[in-house]
Amino acid sequence: MRIRSLGVIDDAVVELSPGFTAVTGETGAGKTMVVTSLGLLLGGRADPALVRIGAKAAVVEGRIVMRPDAPAAVRAEEAGAELDDGALLISRTVSAEGRSRAHVGGRSVPVGLLGELADDLVAVHGQTDQQGLLRPARQRQALDRYAGDAVAVPLEKYGSAYRRFRAVAVELEEITTRARERAQEADLLRFGLDEIAAVEPVAGEDAELAAEAERLGHAESLASAAQLAHGALAGNPEDPEAIDANMLVAGAHRALESVRSHDPALGSLAERIGELGILLSDVAGELAGYADDLDADPLRLAAVEERRAALTQLTRKYGSEGTVDAVLEWAEQGAARLLELDGDDERITELTAERDGLRGELSLLAQALTDARVEAATRFASAVTAELASLAMPHARVTIDIRQAEDPDGVDVDGRPVAYGPSGADEVELLLAPHPGAQPRPIAKGASGGELSRVMLAVEVVFAGSDPVPTYLFDEVDAGVGGKAAVEVGRRLAKLAKSAQVVVVTHLPQVAAFADRQLLVEKTNDGSVTRSGVTVLEGEDRIRELSRMLAGHEDSVSARAHAEELLAAARADA
């Protein structure tokens, strides 16, 4: 992270280790600003009072390495962001006037998107800010992962049955709740099909009738034209001296026939003229037949126009393309849809029977899920309770409450309306009894701030590898802890860091000694301006800081020896 103009921090780069990073420093040096900066990147509330005096805005930038198929990466890409060489770049700006802006992967986004990404990126455990496993849904998911195949196998079977149950229920509800609409649709289809059946249209009939109407409407002019053409080709019987095309062609043929023997070229032309004469005779005959067959009956024309009017009425209502063929297509589809609608009663009976059968199946599968979760919860609770005993909470006891969620509109099982969901009917909640005689309460309510961080540390250690969140932030995890218990806190943070990235703000050298990287937040004052910076401690510098944390000043010989001993013990333990 890079932090600019936030609180006492002017400009600092925070280099977090892939494993365990400890953030240390004097009280008031600005360690809280590191936590606050991460909170801003995770969509936390923007407080303009955090902007450094004299600055226009505070800016926090982060580079988060992740797989391209990670949930956060997928969600960011859906919002238009792009990964930069396998990393997602996030920035948050808070102006002194209170305006806040967010950018993800080079794209300006709503601040709410940062909160969505945070769910899959960082689990925060601190005095005032708790996320991740405090949500019951995440607790159930983590318990399922902890249980392994014992839950995964029945959950897969349950999920398949649940999806089919929901599909059947949705279809059944759609049929029953829309019964009136479907009945109206069926009535309209029946009316349309009856209207079409009464006319009995034939495919292509409208085009044929249009052509016939055109012919009948111009029968006289067509007959006159055919007769004139016939006379021009075959002659006029009433005028024997009139010259026609056939006579002229016949004369031309005779002229060439008499000399064709003298030149083959003229012989060829004579044959073609002979063919022309045959063609003229054929056309003349067809013209004579056309004129004789032409029906000029006005009654037939009236019948054709009446039929066309009936077809036009159908095409306007049911022919999307204005043709009889489109009307016939509508009728085919309407008949199929009507069969479907008329079969609703039978379909309702089938769906009701299938739904009831699936209810029984869901009940059995959900119970198998519950049994597997209860068994895993017992093992988990015992493991967390044992962890707490080593974290200065020897009398604390953790249990997991698993109960079936009830919903007035849920499925009735043994007289109870059970709410089946995609992951079963169970509600999973972690409970804590901090001391003997105390009633178990949800962990967020059953522990103080410092205790809560230790409880969440114990939970995360037991869940290590099961919770998909890649980064954990612990603030004040060491509150009220010292001595041997502090060493155990450090040891467990180091254990958790083997499967995830862990960031801890701590005052305890016993905890900091276990870190893979130690960051010092240090305040400087030149007499007029106070600033804080962040430094990576290595070698001698780290020993000096641990000495300060142990004895209050870094030059104590005994504190230095103890610091070296702490580091050596932590490295040996790793």
Side-chain angles (χ1 to χ4, degrees):
M1 288 190 303
R2 184 180 183 187
I3 308 168
R4 287 179 289 172
S5 302
L6 186 69
V8 294
I9 298 180
D10 182 24
D11 192 342
V13 175
V14 181
E15 301 177 11
L16 302 178
S17 167
F20 178 5
T21 299
V23 181
T24 64
E26 294 276 7
T27 300
K31 297 189 300 299
T32 301
M33 288 299 100
V34 175
V35 178
T36 301
S37 299
L38 186 56
L40 287 173
L41 288 183
L42 299 178
R45 186 178 67 87
D47 184 356
L50 296 174
V51 179
R52 184 174 174 80
I53 296 175
K56 294 182 179 180
V59 180
V60 182
E61 300 167 304
R63 183 175 184 272
I64 305 175
V65 179
M66 62 181 66
R67 302 188 318 274
D69 59 346
V74 174
R75 179 66 186 92
E77 289 182 348
E78 290 174 352
E82 296 182 359
L83 291 182
D84 179 22
D85 192 22
L88 186 64
L89 303 181
I90 299 179
S91 69
R92 181 82 180 275
T93 303
V94 181
S95 71
E97 291 79 20
R99 293 189 299 274
S100 173
R101 291 179 297 162
H103 290 80
V104 175
R107 178 65 61 89
S108 178
V109 298
V111 174
L113 177 65
L114 300 184
E116 294 180 31
L117 299 179
D119 290 342
D120 297 309
L121 292 176
V122 181
V124 180
H125 303 303
Q127 293 273 21
T128 59
D129 189 8
Q130 294 286 343
Q131 299 176 0
L133 282 173
L134 287 188
R135 295 199 303 273
R138 180 60 66 83
Q139 292 175 11
R140 189 201 66 242
Q141 294 169 5
L143 178 62
D144 288 352
R145 292 187 181 93
Y146 175 81
D149 289 344
V151 166
V153 173
L155 181 58
E156 183 177 357
K157 294 179 180 178
Y158 171 89
S160 178
Y162 175 79
R163 288 188 293 273
R164 178 56 189 163
F165 174 79
R166 289 302 307 156
V168 170
V170 168
E171 184 179 355
L172 185 59
E173 182 179 4
E174 194 271 340
I175 292 177
T176 54
T177 57
R178 293 186 55 202
R180 182 177 179 180
E181 296 177 16
R182 296 167 74 89
Q184 292 174 344
E185 182 185 357
D187 287 343
L188 289 175
L189 287 173
R190 287 192 188 91
F191 178 82
L193 291 172
D194 290 343
E195 194 171 15
I196 294 172
V199 177
E200 296 183 340
V202 177
E205 183 182 6
D206 48 346
E208 294 177 1
L209 289 173
E212 185 177 1
E214 184 72 14
R215 187 169 62 254
L216 291 173
H218 299 83
E220 292 183 3
S221 59
L222 291 173
S224 176
Q227 290 169 356
L228 287 174
H230 178 270
L233 295 178
N236 186 351
E238 297 179 358
D239 184 6
E241 297 182 1
I243 299 175
D244 55 68
N246 268 332
M247 292 176 60
L248 293 174
V249 170
H253 185 262
R254 287 194 301 272
L256 294 180
E257 278 292 325
S258 63
V259 295
R260 64 179 298 173
S261 61
H262 303 301
D263 188 347
L266 284 181
S268 175
L269 292 174
E271 290 178 0
R272 291 168 63 187
I273 292 176
E275 294 173 356
L276 181 60
I278 296 173
L279 179 60
L280 286 174
S281 297
D282 290 343
V283 172
E286 290 183 16
L287 285 171
Y290 175 86
D292 293 339
D293 294 339
L294 189 62
D295 185 3
D297 185 2
L299 295 179
R300 173 57 186 168
L301 177 60
V304 168
E305 293 296 351
E306 182 179 356
R307 179 65 177 176
R308 290 184 68 201
L311 294 177
T312 300
Q313 187 175 8
L314 291 182
T315 57
R316 286 175 179 172
K317 288 185 177 181
Y318 311 108
S320 58
E321 299 176 2
T323 64
V324 168
D325 289 350
V327 172
L328 294 173
E329 183 179 357
W330 182 93
E332 182 180 356
Q333 295 175 352
R337 175 60 175 164
L338 186 58
L339 284 175
E340 179 184 337
L341 294 173
D342 287 341
D344 276 357
D345 291 341
E346 181 180 348
R347 183 61 177 157
I348 287 174
T349 301
E350 294 175 356
L351 290 174
T352 301
E354 185 176 2
R355 182 198 61 189
D356 293 343
L358 286 169
R359 277 178 175 171
E361 184 178 352
L362 279 179
S363 177
L364 295 175
L365 292 173
Q367 187 58 51
L369 262 180
T370 300
D371 293 342
R373 284 171 175 154
V374 168
E375 190 278 331
T378 300
R379 290 187 288 111
F380 165 79
S382 297
V384 174
T385 299
E387 288 287 334
L388 289 177
S390 300
L391 296 174
M393 296 180 68
H395 304 297
R397 182 169 55 89
V398 168
T399 57
I400 295 184
D401 179 29
I402 298 179
R403 58 188 179 276
Q404 288 191 324
E406 294 190 9
D407 183 349
D409 299 323
V411 179
D412 183 76
V413 177
D414 298 331
R416 294 181 300 111
V418 175
Y420 287 131
S423 300
D426 298 324
E427 290 181 341
V428 176
E429 190 167 30
L430 272 67
L431 305 179
L432 172 69
H435 52 80
Q439 289 295 321
R441 302 179 63 195
I443 53 177
K445 300 177 181 179
S448 64
E451 289 176 332
L452 182 54
S453 289
R454 275 177 280 158
V455 171
M456 296 314 298
L457 172 58
V459 168
E460 298 289 15
V461 168
V462 174
F463 271 147
S466 298
D467 199 323
V469 177
T471 300
Y472 300 93
L473 172 63
F474 290 93
D475 186 19
E476 303 293 345
V477 69
D478 49 16
V481 176
K484 182 179 179 180
V487 174
E488 292 299 326
V489 169
R491 180 175 288 116
R492 277 153 179 78
L493 287 168
K495 179 180 178 182
L496 179 60
K498 292 180 179 179
S499 60
Q501 183 182 38
V502 177
V503 181
V504 179
V505 178
T506 182
H507 294 281
L508 294 180
Q510 296 94 327
V511 172
F514 279 90
D516 299 303
R517 172 174 292 173
Q518 184 171 347
L519 302 180
L520 173 64
V521 181
E522 193 171 19
K523 183 186 294 184
T524 60
N525 191 326
D526 60 6
S528 60
V529 178
T530 300
R531 293 184 174 88
S532 287
V534 181
T535 306
V536 178
L537 298 179
E538 295 179 348
E540 180 65 24
D541 292 335
R542 187 173 185 185
I543 292 175
R544 287 173 61 84
E545 172 61 7
L546 290 175
S547 299
R548 182 201 62 78
M549 296 172 72
L550 283 164
H553 59 87
E554 59 270 21
D555 296 326
S556 168
V557 175
S558 61
R560 179 184 177 83
H562 192 185
E564 293 174 344
E565 182 181 356
L566 278 176
L567 280 175
R571 289 167 181 165
D573 189 77

